Amino acid sequence: MVKMVYFAWVRERIGKSEEVIDLPPSVETVADLLSHLSRLGDNYALALDEPDVIRVAIDQEHRQHDASIGHAREIALFPPMTGG
Amino acid sequence: MVKMVYFAWVRERIGKSEEVIDLPPSVETVADLLSHLSRLGDNYALALDEPDVIRVAIDQEHRQHDASIGHAREIALFPPMTGG
Amino acid sequence: MAFDPTVRIQQDDFDIKSEIEALTAGQGNTGAVVTFSGLCRDEDGTLSALELEHYPGMAESEIRRIAVEAADRWPLGGVTVIHRVGKIRPGENIVLVAATSKHRQAAFDGAHFIMDFLKSDAPFWKREIARDGRSGSWVDAKDRDNDALKRWR
Amino acid sequence: MAFDPTVRIQQDDFDIKSEIEALTAGQGNTGAVVTFSGLCRDEDGTLSALELEHYPGMAESEIRRIAVEAADRWPLGGVTVIHRVGKIRPGENIVLVAATSKHRQAAFDGAHFIMDFLKSDAPFWKREIARDGRSGSWVDAKDRDNDALKRWR
């Protein structure tokens, strides 16, 4: 059980800002998570169409796609940031 | 006939902020001017004791010590600047 | 680090003068204050507004982490970062970074560093709302924002 | 250069907020404003005031020349430089440099460049008036101010 949060166009394409999902044991890394999610429906597939672009934070810290998910409580997916 | 203006400790040591002086024909460069002035009295000698430190502006533009005085109307002598 | 950075994320505008006063009050050793204000451009008159979204919690902690890193690299006296969210009109402020120091070099470098890393690391996203009423498009990240980080390596 | 820099030398303090507003009003293309404020430090409580002297005429023209050179090197939207003269107490403003641009890099570089050259080229001199009532001594020019110019070569 992990809380997923989505921002900007990732949020819009998936169609929700957050949800709690169950991850199968085969999902070990961020990359595993992205490919798992993209098989959950067309909305996810569209949002994660270009996985390299997707930025990931685990428990509110930036993580690379090869990072282990470990005991994450909150995982955020979002596009490259455009603040400032 | 040229108008001399002095600032900061150059002004204090010479004891005046401006004066009009006559320059002999032998004074061609800024360096000539400084050595000419330093022979005009103890106050000038004290002010121009270290001529390398003295900054010079001719008609309100910075000039090096080897610059020609030419037809200068106003020559300013002052220490290195400390504004800002 | 001898200070705690001030970090705020808010809908309201900020007042740069009072932010500087708060940073410098009682700091007799402060000789230099550098501020960066980021403003909403009108994009040649085509933009009606920007809509700014952020990741609450992480946005504050990332900005704070960047400010602390700046204070480790330069002798800063204080840092304030304010980032607005919500709808922002052309000409309005988006972000303020202010850094103080005894001398100007540290204040310039500190403010510039914080702003460059805020751009790349702080979770904010801009959507453009066009003047012709079309629903807006998300602003793309700029290559030059990544290039800007190279000067700090 | 697309603009005329605002250069003022005055005894009175300045208001950084209204100076920014004057620079950005009606400039829909301005996305970045960088300001540098130089403040009078208290020198560990020993300083009563600074007395600032300048060369009228040349001070304005040197600052204007530096601002124009900055605008030739970077795409600046506007520049304001205000330098105070007379007696300035610890904590008070001495100088303001503000530069605007479409993007932050030019605004940072422009303001920093102007400030570095103002230090070395603009005819101002500071005298320190000590708190113990002794007549003040003239501030010496700093080597680091000359070193600061190297980055722009």
Side-chain angles (χ1 to χ4, degrees), chain D residues 51-143:
Chain D
E51 182 82 38
L52 262 288
E53 178 175 340
H54 78 300
Y55 185 175
M58 183 174 173
E60 291 87 342
S61 66
E62 279 295 307
I63 293 173
R64 194 171 293 274
R65 181 185 62 72
I66 296 163
V68 166
E69 190 174 334
D72 285 343
R73 292 177 66 146
W74 295 280
L76 302 180
V79 167
T80 295
V81 180
I82 303 173
H83 204 303
R84 293 180 67 198
V85 291
K87 193 167 282 186
I88 296 176
R89 300 281 179 188
E92 289 186 9
N93 288 311
I94 300 171
V95 62
L96 173 70
V97 173
T100 68
S101 187
K102 189 173 181 190
H103 301 294
R104 70 187 181 285
Q105 183 72 45
F108 269 112
D109 284 344
H112 199 162
F113 175 93
I114 290 168
M115 194 57 215
D116 282 352
F117 279 89
L118 186 154
K119 277 265 177 189
S120 75
D121 289 355
F124 293 87
W125 301 272
K126 286 193 187 96
R127 191 194 344 223
E128 293 183 325
I129 300 170
R131 200 173 275 282
D132 62 11
R134 286 179 314 160
S135 163
S137 55
W138 293 96
V139 173
D140 278 332
K142 304 289 189 298
D143 285 343

Side-chain angles (χ1 to χ4, degrees), chain A residues 57-73:
Chain A
I58 297 182
D59 294 332
Q60 306 202 349
E61 295 194 3
H62 292 292
R63 288 289 177 263
Q64 301 298 314
H65 286 203
D66 60 0
S68 164
I69 286 179
H71 299 286
R73 294 180 305 275

Side-chain angles (χ1 to χ4, degrees), chain B residues 51-69:
Chain B
D52 291 353
V53 173
I54 304 295
R55 305 299 175 92
V56 181
I58 297 182
D59 294 332
Q60 306 201 349
E61 296 195 2
H62 294 291
R63 287 289 178 263
Q64 300 298 313
H65 286 202
D66 60 0
S68 164
I69 286 179

